[in-house]
Amino acid sequence: MGELHLAIRFSCTSLVNMMFKYSRPLLPKMHYVRPLTVMQQDMLRHQAVNIVAARLSRAEPPLRKEVQGNFFRLMTVFSGLFAVGKWFGEVCMWKNPITTALVHVLFVMLVYPPHMNTRISYADAVHPDELDEEFDTFPTSKGSDIVRMRYDRLRSVAGRIQTVVGDVATQGERMQALLSWRDPRATMLFITFCLVAAIVLYVTPFQVLVLLGGVYFMRHPRFRHKMPSAPVNFFRRLPARTDSML
């Protein structure tokens, strides 16, 4: 009536092949040649979320659809920025008058009113319904159909924001994993690449590097491939906490 714990250890027979795997794509070739559209990805993601939510609802204790972890992952990634925000709060509270005075001097030196650009704010192409929603009362004075349309639009925007938050958290976790030696082989490859790049940049003139870079980016389509490059594959293979989420 006890519990059985199974431990699995993965090993490789060839270290060279293992290192070469970091430059290979994660997904099959057809995924990059004919990728899924955004609508198809949303449909598949919706079906996957429903399956997971249905399974969690049958657990003990049951977990509902409100289970989300992207926000907490993002807080972990940006913990350094939160520390800076805490320091700025102490500056605002005059915990150290000398530091606060220096920050005031720096703030006065850097503050200049920028030129207002309506195109950056997307103010010249705003939809009339969005302006009407902006000046609507609370609670709303519009009909149920208009409110439902605005709610669906808000859900769509919030879904895209949630996706972006998850992607940013994933990239930050991969960078943290690279710097914290979570994957020793990947970190060793990165250090070796940095060493080789430093030597190349030291012995090669800057004009030659710019020339080679321009020729590479403007190469003929015959020499271009739809498969992602080796650095992109390497970065995508770095461990993240995406698979650890419920």
Side-chain angles (χ1 to χ4, degrees):
M1 300 298 294
E3 295 182 356
L4 179 63
H5 295 272
L6 177 63
I8 301 177
R9 180 179 180 181
F10 296 93
S11 61
C12 60
T13 57
S14 176
L15 182 61
V16 177
N17 291 336
M18 176 62 66
M19 295 298 183
F20 180 71
K21 285 293 183 181
Y22 281 95
S23 64
R24 302 301 301 164
L26 285 172
L27 301 174
K29 181 178 180 180
M30 190 57 65
H31 177 81
Y32 302 99
V33 176
R34 300 188 62 182
L36 297 175
T37 62
V38 177
M39 186 65 67
Q40 292 174 337
Q41 293 180 12
D42 290 339
M43 293 175 60
L44 291 176
R45 188 179 294 110
H46 179 70
Q47 296 296 332
V49 169
N50 288 337
I51 294 174
V52 175
R55 183 170 182 177
L56 293 177
S57 62
R58 295 192 299 266
E60 291 294 339
L63 299 177
R64 304 301 179 186
K65 295 182 179 181
E66 291 79 11
V67 178
Q68 290 290 339
N70 288 333
F71 178 74
F72 299 101
R73 293 171 57 205
L74 196 63
M75 289 182 60
T76 303
V77 171
F78 290 101
S79 58
L81 294 179
F82 296 150
V84 174
K86 182 179 179 181
W87 170 82
F88 184 73
E90 294 178 354
V91 170
C92 297
M93 297 300 295
W94 289 77
K95 292 289 185 66
N96 191 338
I98 299 178
T99 303
T100 304
L102 293 177
V103 171
H104 276 76
V105 173
L106 182 62
F107 179 74
V108 172
M109 293 174 58
L110 296 179
V111 171
Y112 291 97
H115 173 68
M116 302 302 295
N117 192 340
T118 58
R119 290 188 177 273
I120 295 179
S121 303
Y122 203 65
D124 58 335
V126 65
H127 196 273
D129 182 68
E130 295 179 356
L131 290 176
D132 184 66
E133 181 182 4
E134 189 72 21
F135 295 100
D136 193 8
T137 59
F138 184 82
T140 181
S141 58
K142 303 298 179 181
S144 58
D145 295 337
I146 298 178
V147 175
R148 185 181 298 107
M149 179 192 66
R150 293 175 178 176
Y151 177 73
D152 292 339
R153 183 174 60 198
L154 180 62
R155 287 183 56 190
S156 176
V157 174
R160 290 195 295 267
I161 293 176
Q162 184 67 237
T163 302
V164 172
V165 168
D167 292 341
V168 172
T170 300
Q171 307 308 324
E173 289 169 353
R174 288 171 177 171
M175 185 59 65
Q176 286 183 346
L178 183 64
L179 299 178
S180 62
W181 290 79
R182 185 178 176 184
D183 189 345
R185 289 186 295 266
T187 306
M188 183 59 65
L189 286 175
F190 179 72
I191 294 177
T192 304
F193 171 77
C194 292
L195 179 61
V196 174
I199 296 175
V200 172
L201 292 175
Y202 180 77
V203 301
T204 306
F206 181 73
Q207 293 83 352
V208 176
L209 294 176
V210 174
L211 177 63
L212 294 178
V215 172
Y216 175 78
F217 284 111
M218 293 184 296
R219 65 190 184 277
H220 193 272
R222 179 179 300 177
F223 302 102
R224 298 178 183 269
H225 302 282
K226 293 185 178 180
M227 303 292 289
S229 60
V232 175
N233 294 329
F234 172 79
F235 191 73
R236 288 178 178 175
R237 284 186 176 273
L238 293 175
R241 297 183 179 181
T242 306
D243 299 333
S244 302
M245 298 181 62
L246 294 175

